[in-house]
Amino acid sequence: MALSKKPTTGMKDILPEEMQIRDYVISVIKDTYGKFGFTSIETPCVENIANLSSKQGGDNEKLIFKILKRGEKLNVETATCEEDVVDSGLRYDLTVPLVRFYSNNAAQLPTPFKALQMGNVWRADRPQRGRYRQFMQCDIDILGEPSNLAEIELILATTTTITKLGFRNFQIRINDRRILKAMAAYAGFAEESYDSVFITLDKMDKIGIEGVKAELLANGYEEAQCDKYLELFVEIEKADNGVAYLADKLADYLDAEVMCSFREILDSVQATKADSFELVFDPTLVRGMSYYTGTIFEIAMPEFGGSCGGGGRYDKMVGKFTGKDVPACGFSIGFERIVLLLMESGFQVPTRPKQVAYLIEKGVTGDALCEIIAQAQKVRQDGTQVLIARMNKNKKFQKEQLNKEGYEEFVEFYKDPLKK
Amino acid sequence: MALSKKPTTGMKDILPEEMQIRDYVISVIKDTYGKFGFTSIETPCVENIANLSSKQGGDNEKLIFKILKRGEKLNVETATCEEDVVDSGLRYDLTVPLVRFYSNNAAQLPTPFKALQMGNVWRADRPQRGRYRQFMQCDIDILGEPSNLAEIELILATTTTITKLGFRNFQIRINDRRILKAMAAYAGFAEESYDSVFITLDKMDKIGIEGVKAELLANGYEEAQCDKYLELFVEIEKADNGVAYLADKLADYLDAEVMCSFREILDSVQATKADSFELVFDPTLVRGMSYYTGTIFEIAMPEFGGSCGGGGRYDKMVGKFTGKDVPACGFSIGFERIVLLLMESGFQVPTRPKQVAYLIEKGVTGDALCEIIAQAQKVRQDGTQVLIARMNKNKKFQKEQLNKEGYEEFVEFYKDPLKK
């Protein structure tokens, strides 16, 4: 078989220029989340196939890169289906592995446990511009904290990080799956139709309220129900305080404590947040993953159509592994989108060391070479970046190239010290 | 299928304590190699199966985690062998992907190109203590530098990094595949038997010179050849300068320039190196990978039986992808072993921020909560790590646990400010 120079379909090589920005973003993220008491953990990129196919991952489960059994356990000839030849796969997100990790190691972890994960995930999606089949995710999660302190800290930590990275004028949109459900109940939709109703509602920003109504009707829902439902959204928009309006309206359908806690999240973040972003109650926010049980949130960036991260509360997932539920809440940053936005804006990493290039003529060897190297070692100790390279025939071109890499100072060494 | 709490066989979860050390090691590595002008790059973890099965990887090719084809391309029922169902795999090292990367992107890269890679690799090895099927590798490589400046810089950069991590009294052992071959030629071994002779020679440190002789004889080599061969090693040991002795002895079997360049590497590193390590010519050093074409080296640590990293020159590998050879030389650090040694020595990460925990009684909400959060946000800006947590019923235990995580200062907030 011929060797292929290209990366596998849908994946990409990362060149030094982009890596510099990625490394910078990673360092800001680790440093800022660290200040909030999040500690880094890591799980293997490979998970048991049963864990990846447990219906926690929604559509992502259709996109798994599956890994072949090995040795005696593999018999391709007698196999009749995928299950016969596969025992594991590449993780498609960091949430399922985190919950497995927590279930496995809870005895050694503090309560609440505040985890930071940065790692690659894989999805065999149709390749498209700016979206790759391997990409970095960056998640923070708080496990074991039932109160809304979790949501407040997650939103503040995430927005502080994004602000430190230079972003302004972004929005955090927030909603609660229980509010979503109470609104549907208030309108008279049957519980089994909620998911279908929410899929339509999710399109509000694209097709508008008329579009949503048309699609609900087309899906066979009664016009009276639809009108009662959509009027809620109109009234929230009009109200001075949409949350207060809803709390009143949904009193019979929603535990008062849910609404009270939700308002406290809004008020606390509002009172302590930076000016770089707006916090907005968005009753049309749905979030696809079926594991969410409470608050949900999303980052919207003006520079970027669509979400740049999101998360929410998922109190029922640890129980799937251990039989005992543990409150859990997480927020994921769209790492690749942030890097893309920084690259496109011509962002320059702020703190770079002084860069000096030593160009050494080919004939310089022995003691003379030792002296040059010793000098470079000394200068490096002082914090300067020193490149040692043999001088090319076309010295001018070589310097131009090095200049593009950030080298601004050149020291030239010749066999005959009088030469220049 | 039941969900599994354990990681997949042979892989491990990384807890906060270890992650802190890993992150520290990564930052020292990136910073130090950066000072030598190495720039970070990344390749996908998944490579085309043809590239992974190209005989560059020696025995590692038997240990590949292979990835199933997807969609219409997969037909398990009609498949008769692995090749029918597999299109890619997880990389088993960073060298094959680097060479593919260089072949793919050379036009956008400087000459010489100094690459730093830190990334996971996977090998389906038999699980054993301290060895896992997913592990981090850390490689530096210089592509496009034909002179021994590459070897000198690689050895200095690697040893400077390991010294910065606190290691002392280690050894860099160095040899050259061409010297190995010339010694075998001098003794009269036929070229096709070199590999077999070297496999035996590689055991010298375990079975001694008598053991090597016995195994060579058992493998059918003539006693006269064996004696002539092994006498060389005895004489090198006795000589004031083993390299000078060999240069003279092998004059008819080895290009004088090879020996001259090899001595220059030894002299230059010797003259400029730190006191933390010894540089040693080791004529028994073999290194398994078949792709090496010149100098080879290895790190030996007194704390750790066996190698803690290694590398060498591989001038013929780029040509396998592009048809045109490019000089290349690399040095890989045993990242996992270094982390293990630091963990076992009770190493503490040097620079950690001040850690304060705010413990908030359950009843504290509303404006009071906002004030506490605002205060935390302010203190975080000043560089302090602040954990906000609800006070547990067993406050004493909670504080003890937090203390173990590094929190030394506690601030308690009560609903009734008079309480304490």
Side-chain angles (χ1 to χ4, degrees), chain A residues 88-305:
Chain A
S88 54
L90 293 175
R91 61 187 178 198
Y92 53 77
D93 76 0
L94 299 178
T95 306
V96 171
L98 170 71
V99 172
R100 185 198 53 66
F101 173 98
Y102 184 80
S103 309
N104 191 33
N105 301 294
Q108 296 169 68
L109 300 172
T111 302
F113 176 53
K114 300 175 84 172
L116 164 60
Q117 293 184 95
M118 307 202 68
N120 284 315
V121 303
W122 290 262
R123 294 178 193 167
D125 237 325
R126 200 178 294 272
Q128 42 183 302
R129 205 195 82 84
R131 276 182 83 167
Y132 293 93
R133 290 178 164 188
Q134 170 178 317
F135 56 98
M136 174 94 103
Q137 278 203 337
C138 168
D139 288 15
I140 49 171
D141 292 85
I142 304 180
L143 292 113
E145 173 60 70
S147 88
N148 57 20
L149 217 48
E151 281 88 342
I152 296 167
E153 283 279 273
L154 288 169
I155 295 171
L156 287 177
T158 301
T159 53
T160 302
T161 301
I162 292 179
T163 304
K164 273 227 176 112
L165 288 168
F167 292 94
R168 297 291 177 273
N169 307 317
F170 58 95
Q171 275 191 343
I172 301 292
R173 297 192 182 142
I174 184 167
N175 197 7
D176 192 302
R177 293 285 296 187
R178 290 164 297 183
I179 297 177
L180 267 179
K181 286 181 184 171
M183 288 172 78
Y186 166 88
F189 291 112
E191 199 168 340
E192 57 274 20
S193 59
Y194 288 174
D195 279 340
S196 134
V197 171
F198 297 159
I199 287 171
T200 303
L201 177 67
D202 202 19
K203 301 178 185 165
M204 184 79 91
D205 57 338
K206 292 206 184 74
I207 61 177
I209 200 158
E210 289 308 315
V212 169
K213 183 175 174 183
E215 184 168 314
L216 289 174
L217 292 175
N219 286 346
Y221 297 107
E222 288 172 29
E223 183 152 18
Q225 281 180 345
C226 298
D227 285 340
K228 194 174 176 190
Y229 187 51
L230 293 174
E231 205 202 329
L232 280 177
F233 295 91
V234 176
E235 292 298 325
I236 292 167
E237 194 77 35
K238 277 197 230 157
D240 281 342
N241 183 334
V243 184
Y245 164 80
L246 261 194
D248 183 46
K249 209 74 178 170
L250 302 179
D252 294 344
Y253 301 88
L254 193 57
D255 199 333
E257 219 174 282
V258 170
M259 220 53 188
C260 180
S261 167
F262 187 72
R263 288 173 76 166
E264 191 168 65
I265 296 171
L266 285 168
D267 293 343
S268 304
V269 173
Q270 202 63 51
T272 54
K273 78 181 195 55
D275 295 335
S276 49
F277 72 100
E278 257 191 304
L279 180 71
V280 183
F281 166 51
D282 178 356
T284 72
L285 182 68
V286 173
R287 304 277 309 156
M289 306 302 264
S290 59
Y291 54 64
Y292 288 122
T293 57
T295 332
I296 46 177
F297 24 77
E298 210 165 85
I299 310 170
M301 288 256 185
E303 299 93 335
F304 198 89

Side-chain angles (χ1 to χ4, degrees), chain B residues 241-258:
Chain B
N241 183 334
V243 184
Y245 164 81
L246 262 193
D248 182 47
K249 210 74 179 168
L250 301 178
D252 293 344
Y253 300 87
L254 192 58
D255 199 333
E257 219 175 282
V258 170

Side-chain angles (χ1 to χ4, degrees), chain B residues 6 12 15 19 21-22 44 47 51 56 118-119 123 134 168 173 176 193 195 238 250 275 284 316 374 376 382 395 404:
Chain B
K6 296 270 164 233
K12 71 163 181 176
L15 289 150
M19 272 306 286
I21 290 180
R22 295 174 79 93
E47 283 283 338
N51 290 359
Q56 301 299 308
M118 306 201 67
R123 294 180 194 166
Q134 171 178 317
R168 297 290 177 273
R173 299 195 181 140
D176 192 302
S193 59
D195 279 340
K238 279 198 228 158
L250 301 178
D275 295 335
T284 71
K316 301 282 177 194
D382 301 338
K395 192 174 72 184
K404 279 185 200 155

